[in-house]
Amino acid sequence: MTTTVGTSPRTVEAVPTLRAARDAVLKDVEQVVTTLLEDERARWKGDAPQALSLIDGIADLVAAGGKRLRPAFCVSGFLAGGGSADAPGLADLAAALEMLHVFALIHDDVIDAADTRRGRPALHVAQARKHSAAGWRGASERFGENAAILAGDLALVYADRLVAGACAPVREEWAVLCSEMIVGQFLDVSVAAEYNADPEMSRWVAVCKSGRYSIHRPLHIGALLAGRTDLGASFEAYGRALGEAFQLRDDLIDAFGDGEMSGKPTGLDFEQHKMTLLLALAIQRDERVRALVLPRSGGIDRADADELRSLLIDSGVRAEVESRIDRLVAEALDALERAPLDDAWRQELSAMAYEVAYRSR
């Protein structure tokens, strides 16, 4: 695998045997999710066929793909901790993390008024169109949002069901993960409303909203399932740094990426006046950015988005965020060096770090 760190290409090879073992478990994860949704569809088909639109909406989002990042880190944490790939409960736990992610994506699209997700209409958009086409009463947009909120809630119920049989330490970590993610999402909304250009607050929101729930907690949950409490500190240091790098890459993809490649609209952070670290640094550093964005009560419209992108480049902020990602990856790899892990798993988790931090979608 070849990646680009700043302007210097680097190559980090994954460990084929470890990746093959993890991928085999991830296939089981897909089957767990598929079976759960099929069973739920059969359960409601006779008594409440209207409910199928919620279940099918969840299923469509799962089928549309995605990186399966959280299940991959969970399984990796378990296998790196010495667990067996055929251990009971592993696939269920990893599937719960993907279902939790589905819950977050569905609600996030409502919050951000995003039109697409994974190259398809967002669930609230699809439900609004269904309402409009059927000529039902009430506002179509409102119906779509209501349906999406409830579909997200249902995905969360499914996630909790999949975790129910896990050991107490895993369930406790799961509760922490869920609460951090939801509080982080609210902080994201609150900071956007306040429009407070505080880079440290923006960094904290990134870590809380996405970093911990994407990498640190899934890794730790996997290790806890394997009974390896001694990996907690190392996985926290690795996951904290890599999770922040993950969110910073998301910010850059939103600002400068290709919507066709990412499967979701770009520029939404500007439009939704999100105070990302990228924008917070630019506001503090460049008068031109302040003059463009601060007088507005709402977000940046598409006409001014190109100008803002140019300013982010001219001010050096884009390059600074890239450099920060480099430093965070180095910090994550340093944590691996101190971790009580086999060398093969250090190499594999290093490869995963590069994939996460230098992805294009």
Side-chain angles (χ1 to χ4, degrees):
M1 176 190 67
T2 300
T3 61
T4 299
V5 182
T7 58
S8 302
R10 299 183 185 179
T11 301
V12 177
E13 295 298 331
V15 181
T17 53
L18 301 185
R19 188 150 295 198
R22 186 182 66 231
D23 289 349
V25 179
L26 292 178
K27 287 184 180 179
D28 293 338
V29 170
E30 297 295 320
Q31 189 58 52
V32 167
V33 173
T34 298
T35 300
L36 185 155
L37 295 175
E38 287 177 350
D39 288 349
E40 280 296 286
R41 208 175 190 285
R43 175 190 177 194
W44 294 108
K45 186 175 181 180
D47 293 335
Q50 298 92 334
L52 300 186
S53 64
L54 299 183
I55 299 165
D56 290 344
I58 294 170
D60 288 346
L61 184 54
V62 172
K67 296 178 281 293
R68 304 297 192 259
L69 185 69
R70 293 145 197 90
F73 274 108
C74 175
V75 175
S76 296
F78 178 79
L79 298 178
S84 172
D86 60 357
L90 175 59
D92 282 358
L93 187 56
L97 285 160
E98 186 60 26
M99 198 58 70
L100 179 70
H101 186 49
V102 168
F103 149 72
L105 292 180
I106 293 171
H107 282 197
D108 203 42
D109 286 342
V110 174
I111 292 169
D112 291 344
D115 292 333
T116 60
R117 171 67 65 177
R118 295 177 178 171
R120 302 183 183 187
L123 196 150
H124 68 280
V125 172
Q127 289 291 325
R129 290 175 181 173
K130 176 181 177 180
H131 180 281
S132 179
W136 293 341
R137 296 186 179 186
S140 295
E141 288 186 4
R142 183 65 174 165
F143 175 85
E145 291 171 353
N146 290 343
I149 290 169
L150 294 169
D153 290 346
L154 191 59
L156 179 58
V157 170
Y158 295 155
D160 282 336
R161 182 194 299 179
L162 290 167
V163 175
C167 60
V170 167
R171 295 198 309 273
E172 290 168 6
E173 188 75 354
W174 172 261
V176 172
L177 182 158
C178 292
S179 61
E180 281 178 342
M181 183 194 71
I182 294 170
V183 169
Q185 183 65 66
F186 177 72
L187 290 175
D188 190 39
V189 171
S190 297
V191 171
E194 296 167 11
Y195 219 56
N196 178 15
D198 177 356
E200 184 57 29
M201 175 57 74
S202 296
R203 188 200 69 81
W204 168 245
V205 171
V207 169
C208 192
K209 171 191 171 185
S210 186
R212 287 181 174 173
Y213 121 88
S214 297
I215 298 164
H216 166 208
R217 298 297 181 193
L219 260 179
H220 193 207
I221 281 174
L224 288 173
L225 186 65
R228 290 291 302 276
T229 57
D230 60 314
L231 286 170
S234 298
F235 280 172
E236 179 178 3
Y238 169 87
R240 182 180 62 243
L242 186 56
E244 184 178 349
F246 169 83
Q247 185 58 47
L248 291 176
R249 179 60 60 193
D250 248 14
D251 295 345
L252 290 172
I253 290 171
D254 183 87
F256 300 102
D258 182 344
E260 291 294 325
M261 180 177 292
S262 66
K264 57 184 179 181
T266 55
L268 274 181
D269 288 345
F270 296 157
E271 293 178 33
Q272 298 294 325
H273 43 89
K274 294 295 181 69
M275 189 53 68
T276 63
L277 179 61
L278 185 73
L279 187 56
L281 287 171
I283 288 172
Q284 286 201 342
R285 181 165 302 174
D286 195 313
E287 173 61 35
R288 297 170 298 172
V289 174
R290 291 195 292 273
L292 180 64
V293 304
L294 291 183
R296 299 170 181 271
S297 60
I300 302 299
D301 59 33
R302 293 186 183 274
D304 289 327
D306 288 341
E307 181 182 356
L308 180 54
R309 290 187 185 95
S310 296
L311 292 173
L312 290 171
I313 295 171
D314 292 346
S315 64
V317 169
R318 179 182 182 179
E320 181 174 338
V321 171
E322 288 282 8
S323 294
R324 187 181 184 91
I325 290 172
D326 292 347
R327 293 194 300 273
L328 288 164
V329 170
E331 185 180 328
L333 299 188
D334 184 61
L336 288 180
E337 288 301 315
R338 301 191 304 275
L341 290 168
D342 291 341
D343 286 341
W345 271 108
R346 285 195 186 89
Q347 185 177 340
E348 175 59 24
L349 289 170
S350 296
M352 293 177 73
Y354 280 91
E355 290 172 354
V356 164
Y358 299 108
R359 70 195 190 281
S360 58
R361 56 184 293 272

